[in-house]
Amino acid sequence: MKNNISRSDLDKLIEYLAQDDPKLTHGPLVKRFEDEWSKWLGVKHSIMLNSGSSANDLTMIALKELKGPGEIIVPPLTWVSDISSVLRAGFDPKFVDIDPQSLALDTELVLDAITEKTKGVFLTHVLGYNGLTDKLINGLKERNIPLIEDVCESHGATHNGQKVGSFGWASNFSFYYAHHMTTIEGGIISTNDDELYDQLRMLRSHGMVRESLNEETKNSFLKNYPDLNPDFIFAYPSHNMRSTELNGLLGLEQLKRLDENNKLRTLNLNKFLSVIDPTVFKTDFKTGGSSNYAFTLVLVKPDMKIRNQVESRLTKAGIEFRRGLSGGGNQLRQPYLRRIQGFQSPESVPVADHVHHYAWYVGNYPELTFEQIEHLGSVLKDI
């Protein structure tokens, strides 16, 4: 991936730091970015954090407070922090296989997997593809099951013309260095739920009640704990996940370019799919509404000989790649899960397991040229 931070972004930071006594930690620029992001996404509230992983953690902690212990339906193709946040909150992850066209949770399998133990569905929009279906959205609403959207790789993707990340009870984004937009490190949780937003404000800052915007909440704690200093009442056992003013400033600058950059990413994806052989590589992805993060290269059939040829050719051509797509492939093959006795086998999710062994991603970014994409196609020709 190319560095998403422009010279103008850096100049803005220099200009800000050149002020007399600039505020550096969490402050008005962070709040301004939260408001601009909410407006862009089409939601009521957003809360900026120090990473997308922190966003996952806080969302799961809040869900545990709301729903109590139980199971969270999760995808095997995702980033480790999604699953680790489920485990750390005290939930049991229940893995369901993916749809080969969207690479997200298979709707039918999710709805079939719901039981009285189900406390939420944690869906990942993989590498820019829209992972939602109307049947999933409506089915979860009917069953009163919260939907949590991981949109860390899919800023700006849409479902029925509406941005993904605006459908769920909560949605998590990452602004890591190489993502669609970046604050170097950073993340955000977005929601339309007023109560959740107020809870997240406290959780972000050590669980402190003074961060709440709800006077009723504050007064309740003051009344019940008269022996405590009002400035230091800790409602939850949390820690510091705040961002900084520098991150907020970068977010404001980057957001200005996000939509135009996503258009270029989509053009690049369509070009890429047109230059690879559909008899060897999958090209029937759910591209409608996508905001491609990286090119998805998936073998149609399992073939170790072809896999080795692909990796050899890309390596010789100096084209960087990652096998397994998001998060290194099937999370059920990772040691942190395999050491848990009695856990699901990796083979229980065959579509994700195929991706684990026979798929790669190659970087996509706005400055990529069609000539470079055509070169990639020529490297993979006649395999």
Side-chain angles (χ1 to χ4, degrees), residues 212-231:
S212 171
L213 298 177
N214 188 310
E215 290 303 318
E216 186 177 336
T217 297
K218 287 183 177 180
N219 290 334
S220 174
F221 276 98
L222 287 172
K223 180 181 178 181
N224 291 327
Y225 301 93
D227 57 325
L228 296 178
N229 180 340
D231 288 333

Side-chain angles (χ1 to χ4, degrees), residues 40-325:
W40 174 83
L41 186 61
V43 296
K44 290 174 66 176
H45 308 294
S46 293
I47 182 159
M48 191 179 190
L49 305 160
N50 55 12
S51 73
S53 297
S54 291
N56 292 336
D57 275 338
L58 287 200
T59 300
M60 284 298 123
I61 292 168
L63 184 61
K64 182 70 173 298
E65 291 286 336
L66 174 69
K67 289 282 191 176
E71 293 179 342
I72 304 294
I73 294 175
V74 297
L77 186 65
T78 189
W79 190 250
V80 59
S81 65
D82 289 36
I83 311 306
S84 62
S85 69
V86 170
L87 292 168
R88 275 199 296 270
F91 288 117
D92 296 317
K94 185 175 186 178
F95 288 86
V96 164
D97 210 355
I98 60 173
D99 180 326
Q101 290 186 301
S102 70
L103 301 173
L105 285 168
D106 183 301
T107 291
E108 299 296 336
L109 295 177
V110 169
L111 296 178
D112 287 344
I114 291 172
T115 69
E116 69 280 355
K117 295 180 181 179
T118 306
K119 304 299 183 180
V121 172
F122 200 170
L123 179 142
T124 299
H125 298 281
V126 177
L127 296 174
Y129 296 117
N130 161 35
L132 295 172
T133 65
D134 291 340
K135 186 172 183 178
L136 178 65
I137 295 167
N138 295 331
L140 295 181
K141 283 182 179 177
E142 289 168 6
R143 293 164 173 81
N144 195 29
I145 302 292
L147 169 66
I148 299 95
E149 297 180 73
D150 173 354
V151 204
C152 291
E153 299 174 343
S154 301
H155 309 49
T158 60
H159 175 71
N160 295 338
Q162 179 181 333
K163 289 188 178 73
V164 302
S166 62
F167 289 87
W169 173 69
S171 62
N172 303 336
F173 291 79
S174 168
F175 302 128
Y176 176 64
Y177 197 59
H179 284 173
H180 291 68
M181 59 167 279
T182 181
T183 57
I184 305 177
E185 299 285 357
I188 209 162
I189 304 173
S190 295
T191 183
N192 287 310
D193 188 303
D194 297 338
E195 185 178 355
L196 173 60
Y197 173 63
D198 202 57
Q199 185 180 23
L200 291 171
R201 284 183 57 87
M202 291 185 276
L203 285 168
R204 174 175 61 179
S205 297
H206 302 283
M208 288 194 291
V209 172
R210 74 185 190 202
E211 292 295 318
S212 171
L213 298 177
N214 188 310
E215 290 303 318
E216 186 177 336
T217 297
K218 287 183 177 180
N219 290 334
S220 174
F221 276 98
L222 287 172
K223 180 181 178 181
N224 291 327
Y225 301 93
D227 57 325
L228 296 178
N229 180 340
D231 288 333
F232 296 102
I233 300 175
F234 301 98
Y236 306 102
S238 190
H239 54 278
N240 174 20
M241 299 186 191
R242 294 186 297 265
S243 195
T244 73
E245 289 293 84
L246 301 181
N247 297 122
L249 179 59
L250 276 174
L252 287 165
E253 292 301 308
Q254 291 259 318
L255 186 55
K256 296 173 184 176
R257 304 192 298 271
L258 181 55
D259 289 335
E260 287 304 312
N261 282 345
N262 282 347
K263 291 177 184 177
L264 296 173
R265 288 175 174 275
T266 298
L267 290 172
N268 289 346
L269 172 65
N270 292 333
K271 178 66 175 178
F272 165 74
L273 293 175
S274 75
V275 300
I276 58 174
D277 186 345
T279 65
V280 178
F281 302 106
K282 279 180 58 64
T283 58
D284 61 341
F285 295 107
K286 184 181 174 183
T287 57
S290 71
S291 63
N292 186 253
Y293 170 61
F295 299 146
T296 43
L297 195 63
V298 182
L299 292 187
V300 172
K301 297 178 181 178
D303 190 313
M304 192 61 68
K305 181 179 178 181
I306 293 179
R307 188 186 94 169
N308 293 339
Q309 283 183 327
V310 168
E311 296 191 356
S312 175
R313 288 194 186 187
L314 291 174
T315 300
K316 287 179 181 177
I319 298 170
E320 197 171 357
F321 59 89
R322 297 285 186 272
R323 189 199 303 159
L325 300 183

